[in-house]
Amino acid sequence: MRALWGLAGVVGALTCSMVAAAGIKDGEKRSGFDFMTRETQALQADDMANPGMLWVLQGEQLWHQAEGKAEIACAGCHGEASQTMRGVAARYPAYDEATGRPTDLVGRINSCRAARQEAEPLAPESDALLALTTYVAHQSRGMPIPPATDARLAPFRDNGRRLFQSRIGQLDLSCASCHHTNWGKRLGGSVIPQAHPNGYPLYRLEWQGVGSLQRRLRNCMVGVRAEPFAFGAPELVELELYLMEQAQGLPIETPAVRP
Amino acid sequence: MACLALTGLLLAASPGAGEEVGSYVVTGDAIMEPLVGGKGDPARGDALISDRQRSLCTLCHSGPFPDAHLHGTLAPDLTGVGARLSEGQIRLRVVDMKRLAPNTIMPSYYRVADEEGRRVATVWRSKPILTGADIEDIVAYLTTLKG
């Protein structure tokens, strides 16, 4: 459970005793940002202070760096990220023709490495992979997550919803037990947010670094004493798809900051 | 007549997931007999209740325990629980709250929940969250909370 409580400060009383048992109602949708202390919010809002911006800068360098046997940089195919990558993070995970499955941004970056750059994949949670993902996602900052349109993704999203609602682990809790039925209340010292993915990758003070959405999902699984899915597992991507649907309309905030 | 006397006396059978570790008898909404040996130790129970890694109680519950700012707000305050509930009622609630509230988020502390699909992590597999002796200590402590 240690992973769950972290260092979240005591946040002023949140008035949300009325919670929806079956998901989050549109009028009640709130970014994880809204559940933080003023101090942590200020850290996220100021680019000069937000430690996640260091990963954005590193990602920008990597974007322009030739890699692999093809000796080509991301910029070699995609040019200016501020134009070509704008809005991309808001519509991922997306359907991948090659595998017939959804892939998230991290998966896309590694498949571009393999197929276009002819380079080794970057390890999950490595600084380079996090930096590139953060840089790409940052290009969508402020853009709202659009409604889902690709019908091919529906069965995968349904699977994600099922996972979200399944009780797991020795504690026998589902994601929904906390994030649907009890958001706004406190688990130990931490306020339970609505589990929106719109700030990832983000800088977490407890991690002293940037981490991916999958790292967060795995932490919550460990918290209920379940065996977490491996990084890149189809189930985690399916959960991400469902989370993006729930978060529809919220703006991308990458890099967010969390306690 | 014997049948009548047995009304409300059910042999423990799991309503939901998993199996109980030891057997116990549920009478109405209580377990009258200690799960193991004799009475628990209230001082150990006091310490265990606040142990956020082991019992996890204060992740959800507040009460007359240390570090109030780290108490959760997911569950009823346990102040005075020993006046509201009998020893046997408290025991059943810690052993298996799901028997009384099937959709509760309170874990069933004396149950092994590792069948297919639950993905219980290896280190926790085939074990209840707390032992019978741990639960007796907690019950002994909670019965002292009279208000």
Side-chain angles (χ1 to χ4, degrees):
Chain A
M1 219 62 187
R2 182 185 292 143
L4 282 184
W5 55 63
L7 296 165
V10 184
V11 173
L14 287 154
T15 44
C16 37
S17 42
M18 299 283 292
V19 287
I24 297 151
K25 296 200 203 89
D26 270 355
E28 297 179 332
K29 206 178 282 191
R30 298 218 227 141
S31 168
F33 180 87
D34 297 350
F35 296 90
M36 303 197 300
T37 59
R38 263 181 220 297
E39 292 74 28
T40 320
Q41 288 181 343
L43 203 57
Q44 173 172 329
D46 177 1
D47 280 354
M48 302 303 286
N50 182 336
M53 289 307 288
L54 292 172
W55 275 256
V56 173
L57 288 177
Q58 194 199 340
E60 184 175 18
Q61 281 172 12
L62 293 172
W63 180 262
H64 292 287
Q65 188 173 302
E67 285 281 306
K69 285 210 206 73
E71 286 187 60
I72 188 163
C74 311
C77 290
H78 298 290
E80 266 308 308
S82 60
Q83 279 147 39
T84 62
M85 293 295 123
R86 186 151 174 74
V88 170
R91 55 180 172 77
Y92 262 66
Y95 190 80
D96 176 36
E97 303 279 354
T99 55
R101 298 194 43 86
T103 185
D104 63 6
L105 214 48
V106 171
R108 167 61 66 213
I109 288 169
N110 261 338
S111 72
C112 274
R113 271 182 75 84
R116 319 264 177 221
Q117 297 179 308
E118 298 172 55
E120 292 296 309
L122 296 167
E125 302 305 294
S126 60
D127 261 344
L129 186 54
L130 286 169
L132 274 169
T133 313
T134 308
Y135 177 64
V136 171
H138 181 64
Q139 308 308 318
S140 303
R141 189 160 69 167
M143 296 179 73
I145 296 169
T149 49
D150 190 338
R152 294 170 298 180
L153 293 172
F156 300 100
R157 188 178 303 110
D158 288 345
N159 214 21
R161 179 183 300 108
R162 247 190 320 276
L163 286 166
F164 196 87
Q165 291 166 347
S166 307
R167 287 179 179 257
I168 53 167
Q170 193 195 38
L171 303 189
D172 202 27
L173 292 169
S174 69
C175 315
S177 308
C178 287
H179 294 292
H180 278 178
T181 336
N182 285 301
W183 61 265
K185 295 187 193 161
R186 264 185 14 231
L187 177 76
S190 307
V191 181
I192 300 178
Q194 294 177 345
H196 294 308
N198 56 318
Y200 287 81
L202 55 69
Y203 187 92
R204 195 165 156 78
L205 300 170
E206 190 197 283
W207 296 336
Q208 305 220 344
V210 160
S212 70
L213 179 56
Q214 293 203 356
R215 180 170 179 191
R216 174 71 256 174
L217 306 189
R218 283 167 47 91
N219 273 5
C220 279
M221 294 187 73
V222 170
V224 298
R225 300 184 174 178
E227 199 64 52
F229 295 111
F231 280 109
E235 289 89 349
L236 289 181
V237 179
E238 288 162 359
L239 272 170
E240 288 183 55
L241 258 181
Y242 175 61
L243 296 181
M244 286 298 275
E245 179 187 55
Q246 288 204 108
Q248 190 207 309
L250 291 177
I252 299 292
E253 295 175 9
T254 310
V257 174
R258 293 290 180 270
Chain B
M1 284 302 115
C3 281
L4 256 186
L6 284 170
T7 314
L9 195 125
L10 305 159
L11 262 180
S14 328
E19 290 166 41
E20 280 86 359
V21 246
S23 64
Y24 52 84
V25 175
V26 177
T27 310
D29 73 339
I31 299 171
M32 309 305 283
E33 296 297 322
L35 301 167
V36 288
K39 291 261 178 222
D41 173 354
R44 282 199 63 232
D46 184 356
L48 187 51
I49 272 250
S50 305
D51 186 331
R52 295 147 46 94
Q53 325 285 332
R54 259 213 331 128
S55 78
L56 316 166
C57 308
T58 57
L59 285 184
C60 295
H61 289 278
S62 51
F65 322 120
D67 295 328
H69 66 291
L70 296 177
H71 295 175
T73 57
L74 290 164
D77 189 286
L78 292 176
T79 305
V81 68
R84 286 197 300 280
L85 299 173
S86 70
E87 176 192 307
Q89 286 175 316
I90 293 176
R91 188 177 288 112
L92 176 57
R93 281 154 182 76
V94 181
V95 163
D96 191 5
M97 180 56 97
K98 289 193 186 82
R99 176 183 283 270
L100 302 171
N103 296 320
T104 189
I105 57 166
M106 175 155 164
S108 297
Y109 276 89
Y110 198 47
R111 209 196 240 189
V112 174
D114 53 349
E115 79 273 17
E116 276 288 305
R118 291 270 140 154
R119 300 190 65 84
V120 176
T122 321
V123 278
W124 304 112
R125 224 167 275 166
S126 315
K127 295 186 190 94
I129 304 170
L130 292 176
T131 66
D134 290 335
I135 292 173
E136 287 308 320
D137 292 340
I138 284 177
V139 170
Y141 168 66
L142 288 181
T143 54
T144 69
L145 301 183
K146 297 294 189 193

